Amino acid sequence: VLAFDGVVLGDLSTPCEVFGRVRRPDGSRPYDVRVCSARPTVASRHVGLRVPERLGFVSRAQTVVVPGIEDLQHPVPGELLAAIRSAVNRGARVASVCSGAFVLAQTGALDGLRATTHWMGADELARRHPSIAVDPNVLYVDNGQIVTSAGATAAFDLCLHLVRTDMGAAVAADVARAVVMPLERMGGQAQFIVRDVAVEQTSLGSVLMWIEAHLDRDLSLHEMARHAGMSTRTLSRRFRDQLGTTPAQWIAAARIRRARSLLETMDTSVEDVATRCGFGSATVLRQHFAALVGTTPLAYRRAFWHGARTP
DNA sequence: AAAGCTACCCGCCAAT
DNA sequence: TGATTGGCGGGTAGCT
């Protein structure tokens, strides 16, 4: 992970946290995360940092992360660009976060590729580098060797995506839990993952959408498998391999998302919400709600209500 | 809150 | 031969 004067602190710390917490099933750590900079200390907006590794270490990295810069007008040191460029040339994987795409673009590594960056900077990036196809509407763009991601929190998605391609979905799901990935993305992996071409092409993409559309039904593993055209055993395996969860857990998370949405906008009883989400009873809803959201349905409604009250 | 019971999950193995 | 699938069974999480 590169550091430099004017680095965006969150973009720097997120890869450290995510990759640093990854564990294989046997407990070992697949990633050795190092922060590298030209000089031993760098200044970020709110803090000063003492950085353990120099840029020379970049030549040993398999993956190089380029965090965002606070000021797009500030010139990027040549030695930093040189380190990135040589990493690209020897085939290392290079990923930019947020405005880090501007740094990466200056090395020429993005020329002719699709890329993304913070949406506020998308136009500027396209203006400075006309040969880059800038897409501001995605969380990240994976070109294989070169990866770019959008604003701050998309760094989580980028890192988890890389962990998933390296280590598989189960390991990625574990680390997502460890860093307390927001429920929206974690439980609702439909939105997060259906966008992902690799997964969308597999059989699960359509099954997940079918499930989402029939959440209120009593979905048994059997029924889902029949609809998916595979055995229950294979379906379970698919969930573990591609989503890192079990069918039942995934459905529960999807139902809770639906429940939250209903609680925010509809003034009906918890019992009714439970029925509409496919939970057998309000008790079951409360149990899952506590486990996934951390509160009770009514407390959640009190905090997040934004519908029209109907007497 | 307790208890019985269903169905889920996953390791294992034979078959494809 | 290696990869994938589907069935079996036991241990149990979760539902009634």
Side-chain angles (χ1 to χ4, degrees), chain A residues 194-253:
Chain A
V194 164
R195 237 196 315 261
D196 190 313
V197 195
V199 174
E200 201 173 27
Q201 282 171 348
T202 69
S203 45
L204 269 194
S206 61
V207 179
L208 294 185
M209 291 198 280
W210 180 80
I211 293 175
E212 293 263 14
H214 300 92
L215 270 187
D216 54 324
R217 275 214 232 148
D218 185 18
L219 296 166
S220 69
L221 184 62
H222 215 84
E223 196 179 350
M224 288 161 49
R226 194 171 47 76
H227 184 271
M230 60 182 89
S231 70
T232 58
R233 188 69 189 82
T234 301
L235 187 66
S236 294
R237 265 202 280 259
R238 285 283 134 74
F239 267 78
R240 179 135 287 289
D241 293 343
Q242 295 176 30
L243 302 172
T245 21
T246 68
Q249 276 181 5
W250 194 90
I251 290 177

Side-chain angles (χ1 to χ4, degrees), chain A residues 110-295:
Chain A
L110 293 178
D111 289 345
L113 296 179
R114 265 184 76 228
T116 191
T117 184
H118 192 290
W119 61 273
M120 284 174 66
D123 287 344
E124 176 67 9
L125 184 64
R127 195 185 61 75
R128 289 193 195 178
H129 306 276
S131 70
I132 302 175
V134 181
D135 184 350
N137 297 316
V138 294
L139 289 174
Y140 54 81
V141 175
D142 187 350
N143 288 298
Q145 191 200 346
I146 309 292
V147 194
T148 53
S149 70
T153 59
F156 275 110
D157 296 272
L158 169 77
C159 294
L160 288 173
H161 169 73
L162 294 180
V163 172
R164 185 152 45 93
T165 53
D166 291 345
M167 309 295 301
V171 172
D174 283 344
V175 76
R177 270 188 288 275
V179 298
V180 196
M181 187 78 175
L183 184 68
E184 290 305 318
R185 307 248 179 86
M186 242 307 271
Q189 287 188 50
Q191 295 157 351
F192 163 42
I193 270 180
V194 164
R195 237 196 315 261
D196 190 313
V197 195
V199 174
E200 201 173 27
Q201 282 171 348
T202 69
S203 45
L204 269 194
S206 61
V207 179
L208 294 185
M209 291 198 280
W210 180 80
I211 293 175
E212 293 263 14
H214 300 92
L215 270 187
D216 54 324
R217 275 214 232 148
D218 185 18
L219 296 166
S220 69
L221 184 62
H222 215 84
E223 196 179 350
M224 288 161 49
R226 194 171 47 76
H227 184 271
M230 60 182 89
S231 70
T232 58
R233 188 69 189 82
T234 301
L235 187 66
S236 294
R237 265 202 280 259
R238 285 283 134 74
F239 267 78
R240 179 135 287 289
D241 293 343
Q242 295 176 30
L243 302 172
T245 21
T246 68
Q249 276 181 5
W250 194 90
I251 290 177
R255 285 183 167 144
I256 287 300
R257 274 188 303 127
R258 169 80 51 89
R260 284 164 47 132
S261 161
L262 292 179
L263 286 166
E264 289 169 20
T265 55
M266 287 184 55
D267 194 19
T268 54
S269 67
V270 176
E271 192 80 40
D272 187 47
V273 171
T275 308
R276 288 171 187 266
C277 298
F279 288 111
S281 69
T283 306
V284 181
L285 166 64
R286 288 194 186 93
Q287 192 160 336
H288 282 286
F289 210 89
L292 289 172
V293 189
T295 28

Side-chain angles (χ1 to χ4, degrees), chain A residues 9 41-51:
Chain A
L9 194 58
T41 61
V42 302
S44 184
R45 180 177 174 82
H46 302 287
V47 296
L49 301 170
R50 198 166 67 241
V51 181

